[in-house]
Structure formats: structure tokens, C-alpha cells
Amino acid sequence: MPALQRHHTFALDVPCHQLVTITDPAQLCEFDYTQAFCVLGEGSNTIFTTPYQGTVMLIANKGVRIEELAQSWLLHCAAGENWHALVENTLALNMPGLENLALIPGNVGAAPVQNIGAYGVELAQFVEYVEGYHIARGETQRLSAEQCRFGYRDSIFKHELKGQFIITQVGLRLPKQWQPNISYGPLQGLQQPSAKQVFDEVVAVRQAKLPDPKVLANCGSFFKNPILPRPQVAVLKEQYPQLPCYDVDAEQQKVAAGWLIEQAGLKGFHIGDIAVHDKQALVLVNRGAGRAEELLEMIKHIQSVVAQRFGIDLEHEVRLMGELQEIHVGTTHEGA
């Protein structure tokens, strides 16, 4: 069985039944979708927790075509392109906009699935369309940004189209009228920065906080930042004035999961070779010989401690794959 250790950044030593590399979207028409399969980009948001009994499809098509319009640039990006490299290249070509999303691991095709976001910016702000192979229809389909139903770390690709739509291309629109977004955290100290200065600051902050998966195996932010009703946040703020929170809408606010985990005393905590990172509590790391059983135990432990202390259920952002399908680990339920 092919090994998956080098195909997902958490690097658990797990095999799969079959491994197929997709370099041309036309290959998707020839695949047998009656058997279990898992679509994988660079594996930065997926962890295989047990030998996978299906086929892993590595999306590796390349190419970026740039269309210049009167008020914007429209980028047609192949799903297999590296996301950070795309951000770097747009800035090099004097097409700003994506700088807040620098150094987010993974490829372009994975970005819309969870609507990647960082430092006050979400991918959804730039998406013109998402194109892919619709399995049930047996044809290529292009969805508008509205049809993608983007939300916080969410999209239609996690719901109705989950397992039914393989993203092959993403269209991004970058307006020529650019203003820096420095509303979030460490960026607030920048004074009238250029896009490159915002990019450099984001990279510096991420590198200071987040371990390089090539050096220390990890999947970046492991848990979603909980979105809570404002009255619940108000009660928490009375007890914990330092709790970081951010407005979502008139009824809800988002609180920092990493802060909750750190305040629960779990920073640096480990079970075997699976550990909470000692610099950023939102990140779980595999120190070399981590096992899936230890990871699952760690997830449950963190969820339990945070729930007991703050009354908040943490949901893992990273996709966990079981023997044939995705699994979910929670404080109140578990299963496919």
C-alpha cells in the first residue's frame, strides 16, 4: 500500500489502498467514483488517522492565466498551484489584495473549501468563480461566488457538494483600487503600508508563531475560532477581560480558540509525541513518532478541558480521515 506520510503535513505513518496524481482535469472523467476516494492537495489540512482503504487523488494541475480588465485583474488559477506562491507572484506583478493571506499552507483548490482567512481577510472577498468536476452530473461545472455559499471557514463544498465536486480551477478578482487592511492584531501598528509591507509583516508574524511543517509536522490552526452569541461573550468578558473577540455580525462574535486553550493551561501539553505547540496553542504538532491514537486522545482532552472551563465546544478545523471516510471528534458526539 502506498505511504501517505509525505503527502500530509502532520506526517502520521499511514498508508492508503491506491494513490493517483491528477495533472489534467480530463483524468477526472475516467475515475470510478463508486469506490471510496479522498481528494488531497498539499495535505496541509488533512490527517489520515488509520490506513485509508480507498484511493487518494492528489490534485497537481498547474497554470495561472491573468486577464486584465478596466477595474480589476481576473486570475484563472489551476487547483494544483501553491497558494503562498500565488500570493507572492501577484505582488511581484503589482497586483495587490491577497497579502493578508500570505503563508497559508496548501494549494489553490483547497482554499475555497474552508474559505481560508487570516488577519481580517477571507478568500471569499476575491472569488469570482470556482470550477470543478461534478461527479453526479459527470461534467465540468462553474459556480459563482454566491453559489459557493461562503461562511466562516465554510462553503457549499463542506455540505451539499461534499464528496461530489472536485475543484480544478479558481477564479480570483483583484480590484485595481487597493487599500491595505490593517484592522487585525499585529497589523494595526503599520502606518500607511504598501502591500509588500503588509505581506512582510504577515509572514514575519506567522513564522514567529507557527512552526514550519517541513521542520515540525503540523497542520497549522487545528481548531476553529468559536462563534458565539453576544450575550455569552459578554458574560465571558466579565470573567476574562483579556479574552480576544471580534465582531461577526449584530448577534455574534468570534473568540480566539488558541487563547482558550492556552488559558486552560494546555500550552506545551503532550500525549506521547503529539503536543500543543509551545508558541501557539492553536497548533498541534507531531514531534516525530506521533500516533493517531495519541492525536485523537489529545483532541478529546483539549475539547473536554475547554468545555469544562469556559462552557465552549471546540470544533476541529482540520479534516480527519478514517478508514473509508471523514470522521469528526467532539465533546458530545463522534462519528462519520
Side-chain angles (χ1 to χ4, degrees):
M1 297 175 77
L4 291 172
Q5 193 167 21
R6 68 184 184 90
H7 294 294
H8 68 299
T9 62
F10 207 78
L12 294 183
D13 188 10
V14 174
C16 67
H17 175 67
Q18 185 180 22
L19 190 64
V20 175
T21 300
I22 304 297
T23 56
D24 184 343
Q27 292 173 256
L28 298 173
C29 303
E30 306 161 0
F31 190 77
D32 178 10
Y33 295 100
T34 64
Q35 305 299 313
F37 68 94
C38 172
V39 176
L40 196 64
E42 295 183 3
S44 60
N45 196 55
T46 299
I47 298 176
F48 292 88
T49 65
T50 192
Y52 184 65
Q53 300 304 314
T55 298
V56 172
M57 303 170 67
L58 294 176
I59 303 299
N61 60 321
K62 303 290 184 180
V64 177
R65 182 170 63 86
I66 300 170
E67 190 177 342
E68 184 171 2
L69 306 173
Q71 304 297 324
S72 62
W73 293 280
L74 184 58
L75 280 58
H76 306 273
C77 311
E81 289 286 334
N82 175 269
W83 173 260
H84 178 67
L86 175 70
V87 176
E88 281 189 307
N89 291 339
T90 56
L91 289 180
L93 294 170
N94 197 28
M95 297 185 295
L98 303 178
E99 55 279 348
N100 292 55
L101 304 178
L103 217 61
I104 294 179
N107 65 14
V108 168
V113 178
Q114 64 174 35
N115 184 21
I116 59 171
Y119 301 102
V121 172
E122 289 187 338
L123 179 77
Q125 298 169 223
F126 305 100
V127 172
E128 180 76 8
Y129 68 83
V130 175
E131 187 172 287
Y133 183 75
H134 194 295
I135 293 171
R137 297 185 180 183
E139 63 183 18
T140 297
Q141 185 179 7
R142 180 172 286 192
L143 303 178
S144 67
E146 185 179 7
Q147 288 174 308
C148 292
R149 298 219 309 273
F150 291 119
Y152 172 65
R153 300 297 182 270
D154 203 20
S155 69
I156 194 172
F157 308 110
K158 285 189 169 185
H159 301 284
E160 290 94 324
L161 291 181
K162 185 175 181 178
Q164 292 296 318
F165 194 91
I166 302 174
I167 296 172
T168 57
Q169 184 169 268
V170 179
L172 300 174
R173 184 180 294 273
L174 303 182
K176 290 183 176 179
Q177 290 240 329
W178 174 83
Q179 290 289 330
N181 185 330
I182 52 174
S183 61
Y184 201 95
L187 303 185
Q188 292 175 340
L190 299 175
Q191 301 294 322
Q192 298 182 323
S194 66
K196 183 61 165 58
Q197 287 172 319
V198 174
F199 171 90
D200 289 342
E201 182 67 16
V202 169
V203 169
V205 171
R206 290 186 72 94
Q207 286 180 333
K209 285 187 173 184
L210 303 174
D212 183 344
K214 294 174 183 174
V215 178
L216 182 60
N218 74 90
C219 279
S221 300
F222 203 93
F223 295 95
K224 294 180 182 180
N225 290 321
I227 294 177
L228 307 173
R230 283 180 179 269
Q232 184 179 354
V233 176
V235 170
L236 286 166
K237 287 286 280 185
E238 285 184 13
Q239 191 172 359
Y240 306 100
Q242 302 304 314
L243 172 66
C245 61
Y246 308 93
D247 292 341
V248 175
D249 53 37
E251 288 80 34
Q252 301 178 107
Q253 288 180 299
K254 179 171 61 178
V255 300
W259 188 91
L260 298 174
I261 297 168
E262 182 172 352
Q263 293 302 307
L266 294 171
K267 200 172 188 180
F269 176 77
H270 70 94
I271 298 175
D273 254 12
I274 303 298
V276 180
H277 189 45
D278 56 7
K279 290 185 180 178
Q280 170 53 274
L282 194 55
V283 177
L284 301 186
V285 300
N286 173 6
R287 300 189 300 192
R291 297 183 296 111
E293 296 83 0
E294 296 167 342
L295 173 63
L296 297 176
E297 184 181 346
M298 174 69 83
I299 295 169
K300 292 176 185 176
H301 180 71
I302 291 171
Q303 290 172 327
S304 176
V305 172
V306 169
Q308 288 174 18
R309 177 156 181 181
F310 299 103
I312 296 173
D313 292 332
L314 289 183
E315 182 182 350
H316 55 86
E317 181 176 329
V318 175
R319 180 175 64 156
L320 303 176
M321 294 302 299
E323 187 177 6
L324 290 170
Q325 58 192 343
E326 186 174 350
I327 61 172
H328 298 275
V329 179
T331 51
T332 56
H333 71 279
E334 181 180 351

